[in-house]
Amino acid sequence: MITLYGIAISNYYNKVKLALLEKQVAFAEEALPPAQSEAVLKRSPLGKIPFIKTAEGYLSESQAILEYLEDAYPEAPRLYPSDVFERAKCREFIQHIELNVEQVARRIYSEAVFGGKVSQETKDEVLTKVENGLKGLARLMTLSPYALGDHFSAADVVAWPHLQLVGFATQQIYGKDLVVEHIPGIAEYMQLIESRPHPQKVGEDRAAALEAFFNNR
């Protein structure tokens, strides 16, 4: 059985968890924050989460985990298209959303989510870059009705947790949800994803983890 390590307040953890649920792969969860202890570094080279334990060993980096699950469990529901070009387009979408949207917006999370303080210079820089990234994402998304077509895919596994957090964070910092502002039809798309049982499960567990996190601060 796969063991998934991390914490459910992480959108990257929830990305992997949703993939496991959608592929119907049996797994256990072990709560573990990022850490620099030798025990964690032996399993995740930078101490990052999430990472998984497999029969062959440990594997870190959420995108590597997603692609491992697709290759290791080919009999399970597929998350990547079988067509070579469409599969590449799915990977293109994931790389774009993570590099040009989520990782940019992450610079404001400390204030938007955790009550810290971010400089105005950082906020201004993030605003310009995340708006540009979202405009590019809108050009890639088909929303027909899923991110890249008529089937739920890895693109949706990645888009849902990331866009939820980016939308929340930008609303907190800029007074407007930049995801909604720059991707027409995204609200209906998010409702569609959240009508599925596995995102509902991930969302419930994330809410409980967030409540516990803030209660224990």
Side-chain angles (χ1 to χ4, degrees):
M1 179 185 291
I2 297 284
T3 301
L4 172 61
Y5 296 85
I7 48 177
I9 65 173
S10 161
N11 45 329
Y12 285 88
Y13 178 91
N14 289 326
K15 158 187 166 180
V16 173
K17 182 174 177 176
L18 182 55
L20 285 161
L21 289 168
E22 290 287 344
K23 286 189 69 67
Q24 301 172 20
V25 174
F27 70 101
E29 295 180 79
E30 185 167 322
L32 183 73
Q36 293 298 301
S37 68
E38 191 61 31
V40 173
L41 292 173
K42 285 180 178 179
R43 296 177 286 174
S44 176
L46 292 179
K48 294 165 57 178
I49 58 154
F51 62 91
I52 63 171
K53 181 180 180 181
T54 76
E56 297 82 13
Y58 291 94
L59 183 64
S60 62
E61 295 298 336
S62 63
Q63 194 52 37
I65 295 170
L66 245 64
E67 298 196 18
Y68 164 80
L69 294 173
E70 189 74 354
D71 292 339
Y73 299 92
E75 73 288 350
R78 304 292 293 181
L79 292 178
Y80 285 85
S82 57
D83 178 81
V84 172
F85 182 74
E86 293 305 316
R87 192 159 61 248
K89 290 296 291 183
C90 188
R91 290 177 173 137
E92 174 194 35
F93 176 89
I94 291 169
Q95 186 163 8
H96 178 79
I97 194 172
E98 295 198 334
L99 291 180
N100 301 321
V101 178
E102 200 283 331
Q103 290 185 25
V104 175
R106 190 183 305 179
R107 297 174 65 194
I108 61 172
Y109 292 171
S110 61
E111 180 171 331
V113 182
F114 301 110
K117 189 62 179 175
V118 174
S119 71
Q120 189 59 47
E121 180 182 6
T122 296
K123 291 176 186 177
D124 293 343
E125 184 178 342
V126 168
L127 176 60
T128 299
K129 290 184 176 180
V130 83
E131 285 190 313
N132 190 52
L134 287 167
K135 289 173 184 176
L137 192 66
R139 298 182 190 109
L140 291 173
M141 296 184 87
T142 67
L143 299 179
S144 55
Y146 293 103
L148 297 182
D150 59 1
H151 289 89
F152 184 92
S153 73
D156 303 291
V157 165
V158 175
W160 175 68
H162 287 340
L163 293 182
Q164 263 199 339
L165 185 53
V166 171
F168 173 82
T170 55
Q171 180 69 53
Q172 296 299 111
I173 298 298
Y174 306 111
K176 53 186 177 180
D177 183 333
L178 295 181
V179 176
V180 170
E181 186 167 295
H182 291 293
I183 306 179
I186 196 67
E188 294 80 6
Y189 165 78
M190 298 297 274
Q191 290 173 3
L192 171 67
I193 299 301
E194 289 162 13
S195 71
R196 297 172 65 92
H198 295 140
Q200 289 175 12
K201 166 65 174 169
V202 172
E204 290 167 2
D205 291 349
R206 178 188 57 213
L210 279 168
E211 181 178 8
F213 174 83
F214 286 111
N215 286 342
N216 293 328
R217 289 185 71 178

